[in-house]
Amino acid sequence: MSRQSHVRRVALLCGASLLTVAAAASPSGALAQDARPTDAQSDEATTVDEVIVTGIRAQLRSAQSIKKNSEVIVDSVTAVDIGALPDRSVSEALQRIPGVTLQRTNAARDPARLAAEGGGVFIRGLSWVRSETNGRDIFSASNGRGLSFEDVSADLLAGVDVYKNVAANMIEGGIAGTTNLRTRVPFDNSEPLLAINTDYNYGDLSERGFWSGSVLATDRWQTGVGEIGLLANVSISNVGNRTDSISVDRYDPVTLDAGNASTDGSGAGGETVYVPKYLGWRTIDWEQKRTAVALAAQWRPNDQWLFTLQGLASKAEAYNVEYALGTDSILSPNSSFSYDDQNVFLSGDIPSATWNTDTRVGDDTKKTSDVALNVQYAPNANWSFSGDLQYVKSSAEIYSMTAFTQLENRPNLSITIDGDLPTVTSSGGTPEDKSAYWWAAAMDHIEDNEADELAGRLDGRYDFDEGSSFFRSVAFGVRGTEKNYTNRQTGYNWGLLSNQYWGNGGGAVVYLDDTGYPGGTQDPRLTDASTLYRFDNFFRGDAPVPGVAWFPAESLLNQGTAYAYDILKNTESSGWGWVPLSDDYDSYRLGGGNGGITELTEKTQAAYVYARFGSDTGFFGRAFDGNIGLRAVDTKTTSNTVTTLPVLQGTCPSVDNPTADCTAFNQAVQFVNGGSLDGQPVETSYTNWLPSLNLRGFLRDDLQLRVAVSRAMVRPEMYQLQPFTNLSINFLSDGFTLDPTTPFTGVGGNPGLRPITATNYDASLEWYFAPTGSLTFAAFHKDIKDYIFTGTETQSITNGGVTYDFLVTRYTNGAEGTVDGFELAYSQFFDFLPGAFSGFGVQGNFTYIDSDGGRNTSQNILDPEQNGAAGDDNLPLEGMSRTSYNAALLYEKYGISARLAYNWREEYLLTTSAANVNAPVWASDYGQLDGSIFYSLTPDLKIGVQSTNILNERTVLKVGSETRKPPYNWVDTDRRIAVVLRAAF
């Protein structure tokens, strides 16, 4: 086989096929609606056979080609980036793109638990990111409209494109941008290819390693019925991670007196100081097995027709166990406490501190499958048509089970929250004595979510003869979808077992070495249901904490709630306590705080017209081109109401007041007894008109200017559309006189929400001075309207012949805001340097973002504290760092491909109200260095090493307002190193 033929075959694996790149570069190509390549694309296809590039250079070349030739503003990561960087997930690879940042927690409101593989993706500071696979919808049932990127195997992808503005022929739904995950198809490669990847990934904190691997096989044949191609790609990814963290709660104000004023003078009597409610430490061991399969078949019976059938299936099984230990005694100051110059707690001694332990097991299974058929037909040189039919289904089963113990013979603690890490030392007590711990409580939570969508589209395009018209082509199309969401989940079901520090219901205390309570069933399994756990090598030995306690055993919690209850019920000596949740989700009333079922159907119909135009001399004597279009989309959602009527207390007249005026009370009784208001259909529809204009002027052959204006929209999230309303009728303390201020109130979701919309203005100046060299500058401005936030509205409701006007707290539209910023990016290989130095290259980018106005959104409309915090106008928008940057040093020569990549982002508001903390939490400045080095043993075989978080960067979170935000959470996680073997034949 010739060297050139081999390179063309390996190009599929490393994403260097410029034919595929060119097709993906235009929005129409990305959406698979063009039946044949343009002349420019055909020219690029010819170039592939003339230029031999591999490895990092191939990645830079293909990414640059996509950006340069695209008709909209786009940045890309090809398969080389995802495979050659130490980025084990799609989201970690995306952070290398200008304007893209990661939220490194599993959920913003649960900031103490970091994501093992990247986390949520933000584009230009906003979370409203549309996710696509091969230009089609993709979503995760647990994630509403978006995609959980950890559910997708990076091994299956040919590349990821990030579109930062839109054209009319692109599917609506992303104000921040659109991420399109591209998988491979058989006709990408001209010859047979078998590619095998395997790696062993080791974490230094967990001291565990995991094997992963993938296989891709593809070929194409000329047959009597035309050309046929088949492709199969299978990936099995195993990954694990250990996280160590130390956390405090929010810092509450406490007024000191003479009895607890500080002996060192830092906190005097009468002063207000700020003391954390809690301090604790935890270790989380997480692992995930992700199995993914991508299949594709293509058939080209002749030059006019092309059929492509694609299937994608992914299953992610994540399991984690958490051991946490802490004390809430810190909130009671004494004279040993010391404070800083803002009166914030620094250190102190806590005698006989509470000693709370818990073990939590999480077991999640998420599945996504996607089947699509695309047909392209080009009857002549001018006309082309395409049709696309897709069905996607996603499900998520989530299990969480926690049990708690407490220590009777409590130790004394000395705590210092100063410097890089807190230190905690203990004395006294009996933390290693099993018989000194009692069973305290248990808590469970379950979810069973599913969603599916059927989508179809038809597109047509007419290409004008070259030189015959100012217009190059006109495209048009229609698209329709039907999505069905079913969200089944419970609340977090906490219940007493035997005893708490505050007491119990009068029963005997059941200790860990007991088999039950006196007079109850004795179960010998109970004595084996706990384990002595040591916090070995905590923070790699950098954080001294009390390192031993008795915890509920993992085996008690990971076999289902029924198994745990069968054992733990023997500790419920008070005759009542924790009872596990039922998976009969119909038994939970939506809006009641304990879960329920949300069912929603959403149908969309869209149509667009889109024209490409251009001139060779119309831009001050230079060439220019562009596109203009209009997309109209109609959205209709349907659901059924769940209305919880008020609960009235007492009777009227009462025994104490037989002459009371019961008119208002009796009317309320009539309203409440008027019958159920459930099941009433709710239908909401709205139409959005989305124009777009993209212009590109060629200042020189290597310098181009872009200007774009477009309108975009993003629909409300599923949780915001929940159709429940809880009503209340409020009386004064006498029980029969209506509250004169707020007599009728309510709270609920809002199925009538409108989408958030934005008018986007973009401009970029792009200098392409080499095939792998560019300097680009992009500026953007977004006028955003109809932010969704917590507001109130008056709603008239009639029942039992009585009508009341309720003041209902709901999600509502209305706020406006702007987001402005710019991106600067540079990339180059220094080919002009002599000898070995010519293999060096650099990549770098910088992003600046500013915002004005806008509103944050509460995640739980039933939580008044969340609602209040989200409405704080003094807080910035969640997830938005003012600055971020990437810097990478590259080397490619003599068969060596190496990269050191550093990613950094500035402090940002993670959430306005963290779970349990009920206060704003901020992520501090964070930078991480990753690296990789590969060596080509033969043209077919490559071996390498990848490393993540080389410098062991520590995550630090803060809590509080803009003016006072002391440290809240310190987290260390694995530095990962992987040995990788890649082969392509």
Side-chain angles (χ1 to χ4, degrees):
M1 183 193 337
S2 70
R3 167 72 175 172
Q4 195 174 65
S5 297
H6 168 78
V7 169
R8 287 200 301 270
R9 289 169 55 188
V10 176
L12 174 61
L13 182 63
C14 66
S17 171
L18 297 183
L19 174 60
T20 304
V21 165
S26 71
S28 58
L31 297 174
Q33 73 177 28
D34 286 339
R36 56 185 174 80
T38 64
D39 293 339
Q41 292 166 345
S42 299
D43 291 342
E44 290 288 353
T46 304
T47 306
V48 171
D49 288 341
E50 299 172 355
V51 179
I52 299 176
V53 288
T54 60
I56 296 174
R57 289 178 185 265
Q59 181 273 320
L60 291 179
R61 187 183 184 92
S62 60
Q64 182 170 305
S65 179
I66 290 173
K67 184 176 183 68
K68 179 180 179 181
N69 296 323
S70 175
E71 296 180 354
V72 296
I73 297 174
V74 62
D75 287 290
S76 297
V77 180
T78 69
V80 168
D81 253 331
I82 296 174
L85 274 174
D87 299 326
R88 311 304 298 176
S89 70
V90 176
S91 57
E92 289 175 311
L94 285 172
Q95 69 179 329
R96 313 295 175 186
I97 288 177
V100 178
T101 52
L102 295 188
Q103 173 188 283
R104 295 183 179 274
T105 59
N106 287 316
R109 292 205 68 243
D110 191 11
R113 296 177 175 89
L114 293 189
E117 290 191 311
V121 172
F122 286 64
I123 298 177
R124 292 177 168 175
L126 299 173
S127 63
W128 301 313
V129 178
R130 172 175 166 77
S131 303
E132 297 181 348
T133 299
N134 299 315
R136 307 181 182 98
D137 276 350
I138 191 72
F139 50 83
S140 302
S142 61
N143 230 43
R145 299 189 182 280
L147 176 68
S148 296
F149 284 105
E150 65 269 21
D151 298 346
V152 178
S153 175
D155 293 340
L156 301 185
L157 301 181
V160 184
D161 306 314
V162 177
Y163 294 93
K164 296 177 179 177
N165 74 316
V166 297
N169 61 344
M170 297 176 64
I171 303 173
E172 72 286 342
I175 286 178
T178 297
T179 59
N180 181 39
L181 314 182
R182 289 182 282 111
T183 61
R184 301 173 174 92
V185 292
F187 288 174
D188 283 346
N189 206 51
S190 60
E191 298 183 13
L193 175 68
L194 175 64
I196 301 172
N197 293 343
T198 185
D199 66 74
Y200 181 75
N201 197 338
Y202 179 81
D204 73 320
L205 187 58
S206 62
E207 298 180 341
R208 294 187 300 163
F210 298 85
W211 285 99
S212 299
S214 65
V215 177
L216 179 144
T218 183
D219 200 358
R220 55 200 291 181
W221 306 269
Q222 288 289 349
T223 72
V225 294
E227 188 175 17
I228 295 175
L230 298 175
L231 179 146
N233 195 352
V234 180
S235 170
I236 299 177
S237 173
N238 296 288
V239 64
N241 188 69
R242 171 175 160 180
T243 300
D244 290 347
S245 69
I246 303 176
S247 303
V248 299
D249 208 295
R250 71 171 183 263
Y251 289 69
D252 280 354
V254 178
T255 301
L256 299 178
D257 55 33
N260 57 15
S262 302
T263 56
D264 65 2
S266 61
E271 281 191 308
T272 298
V273 296
Y274 298 89
V275 183
K277 293 176 57 182
Y278 175 87
L279 183 139
W281 48 99
R282 76 184 76 204
T283 288
I284 303 173
D285 284 305
W286 175 91
E287 60 184 66
Q288 176 177 270
K289 179 179 181 180
R290 182 173 54 220
T291 305
V293 178
L295 304 175
Q298 289 186 289
W299 175 37
R300 182 182 285 120
N302 51 49
D303 291 339
Q304 295 180 328
W305 290 93
L306 175 62
F307 297 83
T308 302
L309 178 65
Q310 292 176 278
L312 175 67
S314 178
K315 179 180 180 181
E317 300 169 282
Y319 177 84
N320 68 85
V321 58
E322 171 186 319
Y323 295 98
L325 172 61
T327 181
D328 51 13
S329 299
I330 192 172
L331 191 56
S332 301
N334 60 56
S335 60
S336 72
F337 281 24
S338 179
Y339 308 93
D340 67 12
D341 55 7
Q342 286 191 311
N343 289 347
V344 174
F345 173 87
L346 286 178
S347 64
D349 299 327
I350 304 173
S352 190
T354 56
W355 192 261
N356 305 285
T357 81
D358 72 79
T359 305
R360 176 187 175 274
V361 166
D363 195 352
D364 304 342
T365 301
K366 301 176 183 179
K367 301 177 183 177
T368 300
S369 57
D370 179 3
V371 179
L373 175 65
N374 179 265
V375 180
Q376 299 182 9
Y377 173 56
N380 53 48
N382 299 105
W383 282 102
S384 58
F385 302 92
S386 69
D388 200 89
L389 185 64
Q390 178 203 20
Y391 178 74
V392 57
K393 181 177 178 63
S394 179
S395 65
E397 297 178 0
I398 296 173
Y399 168 87
S400 174
M401 179 66 208
T402 309
F404 305 79
T405 69
Q406 293 177 336
L407 177 62
E408 183 175 46
N409 186 15
R410 303 183 292 185
N412 306 314
L413 297 180
S414 293
I415 299 171
T416 300
I417 304 177
D418 197 7
D420 292 336
L421 275 174
T423 60
V424 185
T425 58
S426 66
S427 61
T430 56
E432 295 193 48
D433 182 4
K434 179 178 181 179
S435 66
Y437 289 81
W438 60 63
W439 291 102
M443 181 175 68
D444 56 330
H445 169 80
I446 53 176
E447 297 183 28
D448 184 6
N449 305 317
E450 61 185 13
D452 69 351
E453 179 189 67
L454 182 65
R457 63 180 294 166
L458 295 171
D459 301 272
R461 193 175 89 177
Y462 181 81
D463 289 293
F464 296 96
D465 293 335
E466 185 174 355
S468 65
S469 171
F470 171 74
F471 287 99
R472 306 283 177 83
S473 66
V474 175
F476 51 88
V478 295
R479 181 176 184 265
T481 70
E482 179 175 333
K483 293 182 180 179
N484 297 287
Y485 296 90
T486 303
N487 179 278
R488 309 178 190 91
Q489 62 175 289
T490 67
Y492 283 85
N493 173 46
W494 185 95
L496 175 71
L497 290 180
S498 166
N499 193 45
Q500 292 281 311
Y501 284 128
W502 47 259
N504 59 23
V509 177
V510 181
Y511 296 91
L512 301 192
D513 61 346
D514 291 334
T515 58
Y517 57 86
T521 302
Q522 304 300 302
D523 190 338
R525 295 177 297 173
L526 200 54
T527 60
D528 296 325
S530 58
T531 184
L532 185 68
Y533 181 82
R534 299 181 184 277
F535 288 89
D536 293 332
N537 195 32
F538 194 66
F539 275 80
R540 299 178 177 85
D542 291 342
V545 297
V548 62
W550 279 90
F551 289 82
E554 177 185 355
S555 59
L556 170 69
L557 307 174
N558 65 6
Q559 301 182 61
T561 57
Y563 176 83
Y565 180 64
D566 193 47
I567 296 174
L568 293 177
K569 67 183 179 182
N570 301 300
T571 70
E572 297 181 3
S573 55
S574 297
W576 56 271
W578 176 69
V579 176
L581 294 162
S582 166
D583 60 3
D584 179 11
Y585 295 94
D586 286 318
S587 64
Y588 307 109
R589 187 165 184 81
L590 184 65
N594 58 352
I597 301 177
T598 300
E599 293 181 311
L600 180 72
T601 297
E602 179 180 271
K603 298 179 180 180
T604 71
Q605 294 180 325
Y608 75 89
V609 61
Y610 166 84
R612 296 171 62 244
F613 55 85
S615 169
D616 292 335
T617 58
F619 183 62
F620 302 103
R622 302 289 300 181
F624 81 96
D625 63 13
N627 60 76
I628 187 170
L630 176 65
R631 187 178 189 88
V633 56
D634 180 76
T635 305
K636 181 181 294 183
T637 61
T638 56
S639 56
N640 293 299
T641 61
V642 177
T643 304
T644 300
L645 296 171
V647 176
L648 303 180
Q649 303 292 335
T651 60
C652 187
S654 65
V655 175
D656 297 335
N657 192 355
T659 61
D661 182 357
C662 296
T663 303
F665 187 87
N666 291 336
Q667 280 189 325
V669 171
Q670 185 177 344
F671 180 89
V672 171
N673 295 334
S676 172
L677 297 177
D678 289 351
Q680 298 181 18
V682 179
E683 184 174 291
T684 302
S685 63
Y686 47 83
T687 300
N688 292 92
W689 297 87
L690 307 174
S692 63
L693 172 66
N694 291 273
L695 297 173
R696 177 173 55 172
F698 298 93
L699 304 177
R700 297 192 317 234
D701 291 343
D702 61 353
L703 183 66
Q704 58 190 37
L705 172 69
R706 298 180 187 268
V707 178
V709 182
S710 61
R711 190 163 178 80
M713 53 91 84
V714 60
R715 299 180 179 92
E717 293 292 344
M718 296 301 107
Y719 73 88
Q720 297 168 337
L721 297 173
Q722 289 182 321
F724 75 87
T725 304
N726 300 340
L727 302 177
S728 298
I729 300 177
N730 306 310
F731 292 93
L732 297 179
S733 58
D734 60 18
F736 57 85
T737 303
L738 286 172
D739 184 326
T741 305
T742 54
F744 312 108
T745 58
V747 62
N750 189 353
L753 285 171
R754 302 187 305 276
I756 303 169
T757 60
T759 302
N760 302 320
Y761 302 88
D762 294 272
S764 70
L765 185 63
E766 302 164 5
W767 179 28
Y768 300 102
F769 52 82
T772 56
S774 63
L775 177 63
T776 63
F777 175 83
F780 57 89
H781 172 83
K782 297 178 183 290
D783 282 325
I784 304 175
K785 295 183 178 181
D786 284 333
Y787 278 88
I788 295 173
F789 60 96
T790 302
T792 58
E793 65 178 23
T794 300
Q795 182 177 355
S796 294
I797 299 177
T798 301
N799 200 32
V802 178
T803 300
Y804 289 131
D805 290 334
F806 288 88
L807 185 65
V808 183
T809 299
R810 294 193 188 280
Y811 295 114
T812 187
N813 296 97
E816 300 182 0
T818 60
V819 176
D820 302 274
F822 66 85
E823 300 162 355
L824 181 66
Y826 167 66
S827 177
Q828 183 177 12
F829 268 97
F830 302 116
D831 300 308
F832 55 85
L833 294 177
F837 294 104
S838 64
F840 281 105
V842 294
Q843 275 186 298
N845 59 68
F846 175 83
T847 302
Y848 173 84
I849 303 172
D850 190 25
S851 68
D852 182 61
R855 296 288 292 271
N856 290 307
T857 302
S858 168
Q859 297 295 305
N860 183 0
I861 196 71
L862 297 173
D863 186 344
E865 294 199 44
Q866 275 194 59
N867 295 336
D872 187 346
D873 292 334
N874 295 317
L875 294 174
L877 294 179
E878 293 176 343
M880 184 177 290
S881 289
R882 185 176 292 269
T883 59
S884 61
Y885 67 83
N886 286 279
L889 177 65
L890 317 174
Y891 189 83
E892 181 127 48
K893 201 173 182 68
Y894 308 124
I896 298 172
S897 292
R899 181 188 313 238
L900 276 176
Y902 186 76
N903 173 267
W904 183 90
R905 68 177 300 187
E906 189 178 346
E907 177 182 285
Y908 65 97
L909 178 65
L910 186 59
T911 175
T912 58
S913 180
N916 300 318
V917 178
N918 296 317
V921 168
W922 308 73
S924 298
D925 298 350
Y926 183 86
Q928 180 171 303
L929 179 67
D930 306 319
S932 65
I933 182 167
F934 282 81
Y935 180 71
S936 297
L937 299 174
T938 71
D940 299 313
L941 189 63
K942 180 181 293 187
I943 190 169
V945 176
Q946 299 173 313
S947 183
T948 304
N949 195 16
I950 295 171
L951 301 179
N952 187 30
E953 182 70 17
R954 180 166 295 145
T955 299
V956 179
L957 306 180
K958 302 176 182 178
V959 64
S961 65
E962 282 258 41
T963 56
R964 183 186 292 108
K965 42 187 173 185
Y968 152 72
N969 191 43
W970 299 257
V971 183
D972 262 11
T973 189
D974 275 321
R975 285 177 294 190
R976 299 200 301 265
I977 186 167
V979 179
V980 183
L981 181 68
R982 293 182 180 146
F985 307 99

